Structures are given as structure tokens and as C-alpha cells.
């Protein structure tokens, strides 16, 4: 339901409702594969007030029943700032709550026009401050941001004791998507890691091939 400039998933209004049997199949897959850590994510479902939150919560519940001992990370949307929807997920208490900020505030209108930087920070703050969950977020670089803007974003993230950040190189999925403005040197990624951890972020994964779930099992 969102037209982010970096995302190759088809955009439109879903023609069907949520599949409430999906959590069972997800949990059965986790059991079949013998997973020790599971990352659950989704597309945005902005056509629903609950944003699809019940599917996340039921998936967490059933994975714990069918695959005891498996730790769970959820990579969630912002639920348009509807806290009743977010709280459905937070009440299920995943081991790690991940919500990606994606880029610096100046680029939001171009990169993720239906999102809001402060709202994304508020999602993480609610998970950390009110529910005491371990929190994580990720950004892409190479979209035209400056070093100072990345440092400022990391300061915002670190300000409330948030735990894990991932930083990776943006790659253009098709010619219809945002162009790559810069291929960031590995030394700069190393510097971002150093600076982020110096600011108080517990752990920063930073490198050209890093993605949101890179080494996810280490972040629990």
C-alpha cells in the first residue's frame, strides 16, 4: 500500500483480506526447518486500521508453541502511528522489535513519502520506553545523504538507549526506482560503526552488503 522509492514490491490496494491461517503455516515452517531464530516481516497493510498487526502477534504465539526456544525478531511497519495496532505486536513481546528508519529526514519525501521520520522514532521509543523491548533499526546509504546527517540520525536513535542498528549500501532494484547517488567506501562504513557505537548504540552492523536481517541471530 506504499510507493517507497527504493522498494520493488508492487503497490496497490490489496484485493483480499488477511489470511488468518498464515501464522500457523509460518510456525510449521519454523518447526520444519528447526529454526533457532526467526525474523518475521510483512508488506504494509495501510488499508486496515490494525495494519495486519494480529498476524504478527499470532505468528509469535504459534512459533513459541510449535518451536519452543526459537527467538523471534519482528520487522514491522509504522502502523501509521495507530498505537492500538502497534501495541498488539508489542504485547506479544518478541525478543527483538525492528523498525527501519531507512534514510535521513531530509530524504523522506523522495525515498518514503508516506512515512514520517518522527513517527518511526516514536515507534521505537514506544517499544523501548513503554514495553522495555530490545529495539533495532536500519538505514540505507548512497541515496544522497551526508556524513553529518547519518551521525545526526544515529544520535536520535541512540538517545533513548536503543540497541542495534544496521547500515548498508542502497542498490537500485530497477531503472524505475531511485538511482544510486554514491557507492559508499568500506572505510566509511567502518567509520559509521565506530561513531555509532561511540554514541551509545550497543551494536552497529555496517558494510556494503549489510541488510536488515544481517547476522540477526547475534542481535538478540
Amino acid at each position: 500500500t506504499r510507493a517507497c522509492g527504493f522498494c520493488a514490491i508492487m503497490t496497490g490496494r490489496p484485493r483480499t483480506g488477511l489470511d488468518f491461517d498464515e501464522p500457523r503455516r509460518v510456525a510449521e515452517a519454523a518447526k520444519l526447518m528447526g529454526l533457532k531464530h526467526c525474523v518475521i516481516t510483512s508488506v504494509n497493510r495501510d488499508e486496515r486500521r490494525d495494519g495486519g498487526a494480529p498476524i504478527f502477534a499470532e505468528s509469535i504465539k504459534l512459533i513459541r508453541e510449535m518451536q519452543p526456544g526459537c527467538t523471534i525478531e519482528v520487522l514491522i511497519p509504522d502502523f501509521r502511528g495507530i498505537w492500538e495496532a502497534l501495541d498488539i505486536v508489542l504485547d506479544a513481546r518478541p525478543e527483538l522489535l525492528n523498525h527501519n528508519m531507512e534514510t535521513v529526514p531530509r530524504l523522506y519525501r523522495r525515498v518514503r513519502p508516506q512515512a514520517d521520520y518522527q513517527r518511526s522514532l516514536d515507534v521505537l521509543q514506544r517499544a523501548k520506553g513503554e514495553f522495555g523491548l530490545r529495539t533495532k533499526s536500519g538505514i540505507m546509504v548512497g541515496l544522497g545523504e551526508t556524513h553529518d546527517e547519518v551521525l545526526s540520525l544515529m544520535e536520535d536513535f541512540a538517545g533513548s538507549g536503543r540497541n542495534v542498528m544496521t547500515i548498508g549500501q542502497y542498490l537500485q532494484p530497477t531503472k524505475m526506482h531511485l538511482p544510486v547517488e554514491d557507492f559508499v567506501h568500506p572505510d566509511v562504513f567502518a567509520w559509521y560503526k565506530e561513531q555509532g557505537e561511540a554514541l551509545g548504540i550497543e551494536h552497529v552492523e555496517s558494510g556494503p552488503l549489510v541488510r536488515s536481517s544481517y547476522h540477526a541471530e547475534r542481535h538478540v
Side-chain angles (χ1 to χ4, degrees):
T1 52
R2 296 196 187 182
C4 295
F6 60 88
C7 182
I9 295 176
M10 184 182 297
T11 298
R13 186 174 182 85
R15 290 177 290 180
T16 60
L18 297 182
D19 175 3
F20 284 96
D21 188 49
E22 186 176 31
R24 177 190 61 80
R25 300 197 307 275
V26 169
E28 287 181 348
K31 179 178 180 180
L32 181 65
M33 291 187 283
L35 296 186
K36 296 179 180 179
H37 182 70
C38 184
V39 181
I40 306 171
T41 191
S42 76
V43 295
N44 288 280
R45 292 299 298 255
D46 289 345
E47 87 285 4
R48 296 179 58 94
R49 182 167 176 81
D50 67 16
I55 298 293
F56 278 103
E58 187 67 9
S59 296
I60 294 168
K61 173 178 176 286
L62 293 180
I63 288 170
R64 286 183 173 148
E65 289 178 4
M66 295 188 191
Q67 182 63 4
C70 179
T71 54
I72 300 170
E73 172 181 334
V74 290
L75 173 55
I76 62 170
D78 61 18
F79 298 114
R80 294 179 294 142
I82 298 173
W83 299 138
E84 311 95 88
L86 174 64
D87 290 355
I88 291 170
V89 180
L90 301 185
D91 281 335
R93 303 201 63 81
E95 277 73 22
L96 199 62
L97 191 289
N98 188 352
H99 172 67
N100 286 335
M101 293 188 287
E102 306 293 8
T103 189
V104 300
R106 177 176 58 85
L107 299 178
Y108 261 52
R109 182 169 292 183
R110 184 165 65 94
V111 176
R112 52 188 316 224
Q114 291 152 283
D116 179 84
Y117 180 76
Q118 185 58 51
R119 187 165 69 201
S120 284
L121 282 176
D122 290 346
V123 166
L124 294 161
Q125 173 57 40
R126 190 170 182 85
K128 168 61 73 175
E130 298 190 29
F131 285 78
L133 296 179
R134 189 167 175 78
T135 54
K136 175 179 172 180
S137 189
I139 62 170
M140 304 168 287
V141 292
L143 284 161
E145 72 290 329
T146 68
H147 294 171
D148 285 345
E149 286 175 320
V150 174
L151 292 180
S152 178
L153 181 149
M154 288 195 289
E155 287 176 359
D156 288 343
F157 182 75
S160 298
R162 292 157 191 147
N163 303 107
V164 181
M165 173 164 279
T166 58
I167 305 174
Q169 172 69 50
Y170 167 66
L171 297 174
Q172 186 182 30
T174 76
K175 292 181 179 179
M176 301 298 292
H177 290 82
L178 293 171
V180 176
E181 299 291 340
D182 181 38
F183 286 101
V184 178
H185 193 279
D187 290 348
V188 175
F189 280 105
W191 183 75
Y192 282 148
K193 176 179 174 65
E194 179 182 302
Q195 295 299 310
E197 292 180 353
L199 286 168
I201 301 173
E202 182 180 311
H203 184 71
V204 179
E205 295 278 6
S206 181
L209 299 181
V210 168
R211 295 296 181 262
S212 187
S213 298
Y214 183 82
H215 289 165
E217 75 286 352
R218 302 182 185 180
H219 304 156
V220 177

